[in-house]
Amino acid sequence: MTINVAVAGASGYAGSEILRLISAHPDVEIGALTGATTAGQSVAELMPHLVSLADRTIEPTTTDILAGHDVVFLGLPHGHSAEIARNLGDDVLVIDCAADFRLTDSHDWEKFYGGEHAGSWPYGLPELPGQRSKLRGANRIAVPGCFPTGATLAMLPAVVHDLVHPDLQFVSITGTSGAGKKASVGLLGSEVMGNLRAYNTAGKHRHNPEIRQNLGAYSTVPVTVSFTPVLAPLSRGILTTATAPLVAGVTAEQAYATYAEFYADEQFVSVLPGDQQPQTKSVVGANMCQLQVEVDEAAGRLVVVSAIDNLVKGTAGAAVQCMNIALGLDEAAGLTVNGVAP
């Protein structure tokens, strides 16, 4: 069958990456491409790397233009998805790449995002236990945040199998595209090149409650999360180092074996062998999360490093993966596990 797909926010980083992926999807026909400030401009002007769509024009983001498609991807700023989704029928699969429907706790939404909480949709991280059954046949899906994807996959097996006490610490080094395609002094090349800078530290980052929500659902005791993001001079990629206190008696061999078994059937998660470490350049363009699992015996802590492309497994790839599951297609359609090198 052929799926007719519209992309709102098509000229942003998330939207353009969705277009790149679905352009190679065997079951997709690309319908409307919409934007706000870029309406009326051509894909050739805005996204010259999308050669196969060069003759297409960005239209205004309105319900009338988006209606009538089988699938609508929303690559819009936070707070803009709810109204559009309300006006699209239940026969349309709406996949939101913003945060509007990720959080189940309205107090967390109001604290970290402000405004009225629009509710929650099925959460688009298929690797969570039992999550695929919630995504199959769904007509509304909330794509996870990029940081929560790398952090959750890094600590999920340890929390599920009680390898650690859930006092979880994450440090994530990220490229600039995670901030979106907007003008900002702090993201200018002169500000970023040759520099590393932590930001939204000490629990202030909006992804804190999402990480806590994801992992807390699988813990028998309350989970604490300390998350520190660090901006690096990269266009894309997130390298996360996750640590937690080990439960007494857990060995390095047991920890590695637990992770290897947990992700054995997950085609988009790779537990690396031996001492091989994840690196962001290995996952550029791939819908892949690479992991390495170790035990720091002297500190009594589990150490897990994850690498993802924030625009693929962290956003657009996850969105396409979820579409495939919801519609009963091959989960890997339009996606690749292979990165781009050098």
Side-chain angles (χ1 to χ4, degrees):
M1 63 178 171
T2 300
I3 310 301
N4 191 252
V5 174
V7 179
S11 58
Y13 288 142
S16 65
E17 193 69 353
I18 289 170
L19 288 175
R20 183 180 72 85
L21 295 175
I22 63 175
S23 293
H25 196 297
D27 302 306
V28 163
E29 178 182 77
I30 299 176
L33 313 180
T34 78
T37 59
T38 58
Q41 295 180 260
S42 71
V43 169
E45 293 175 80
L46 297 167
M47 298 167 281
H49 63 295
L50 298 178
V51 177
S52 64
L53 299 171
D55 61 344
R56 301 290 299 276
T57 300
I58 305 297
E59 301 178 77
T61 300
T62 67
T63 305
D64 289 343
I65 289 174
L66 295 174
H69 294 82
D70 300 309
V71 179
V72 174
F73 289 102
L74 300 179
L76 306 174
H78 304 314
H80 290 73
S81 301
E83 183 177 357
I84 291 175
R86 275 195 296 268
N87 292 317
L88 292 173
D90 291 342
D91 58 333
V92 180
L93 169 57
V94 182
I95 301 177
D96 184 24
C97 294
D100 292 32
F101 299 97
R102 294 174 189 161
L103 298 180
T104 58
D105 188 314
S106 60
H107 298 292
D108 280 340
W109 171 266
E110 291 164 7
K111 177 180 177 181
F112 285 90
Y113 292 93
E116 184 179 354
H117 184 225
S120 61
W121 290 353
Y123 189 73
L125 190 59
E127 292 80 8
L128 292 174
Q131 200 65 17
R132 284 183 175 86
S133 64
K134 299 176 184 178
L135 296 173
R136 291 189 188 101
N139 62 4
R140 299 289 187 271
I141 295 173
V143 176
C146 52
F147 286 127
T149 296
T152 300
L153 294 175
M155 271 294 163
L156 182 61
V159 171
V160 169
H161 290 286
D162 296 318
L163 302 183
V164 297
H165 302 288
D167 175 14
L168 311 177
Q169 297 184 14
F170 302 93
V171 176
S172 295
I173 300 171
T174 182
T176 57
S177 59
K181 196 174 183 179
K182 62 179 181 292
S184 170
V185 171
L187 297 176
L188 291 173
S190 297
E191 302 294 328
V192 175
M193 289 187 296
N195 189 41
L196 293 172
R197 175 173 60 86
Y199 64 101
N200 287 338
T201 54
K204 294 188 289 290
H205 197 281
R206 288 172 165 179
H207 286 170
N208 271 270
E210 191 177 340
I211 298 170
R212 189 173 62 248
Q213 172 181 287
N214 291 353
L215 294 170
Y218 301 96
S219 176
T220 56
V221 297
V223 167
T224 59
V225 169
S226 176
F227 169 54
T228 303
V230 178
L231 185 66
L234 307 167
S235 61
R236 56 167 84 198
I238 297 175
L239 188 76
T240 296
T241 300
T243 71
L246 272 174
V247 168
V250 175
T251 66
E253 292 75 15
Q254 179 185 350
Y256 186 91
T258 298
Y259 272 72
E261 181 178 358
F262 190 93
Y263 288 125
D265 297 326
E266 293 295 348
Q267 59 187 317
F268 297 121
V269 181
S270 174
V271 181
L272 299 180
D275 295 328
Q276 185 179 353
Q277 286 292 332
Q279 48 187 348
T280 56
K281 74 174 185 178
S282 298
V283 294
V284 170
N287 193 54
M288 172 58 67
C289 176
Q290 290 187 344
L291 297 172
Q292 181 54 271
V293 186
E294 298 177 282
V295 166
D296 184 338
E297 293 181 358
R301 298 185 73 86
L302 182 71
V303 180
V304 184
V305 177
S306 71
I308 63 170
D309 183 330
N310 58 293
L311 292 179
V312 188
K313 185 56 177 166
T315 311
V320 173
Q321 186 180 350
C322 288
M323 176 191 74
N324 291 337
I325 294 170
L327 298 178
L329 306 174
D330 176 4
E331 187 171 333
L335 302 171
T336 180
V337 296
N338 299 320
V340 178

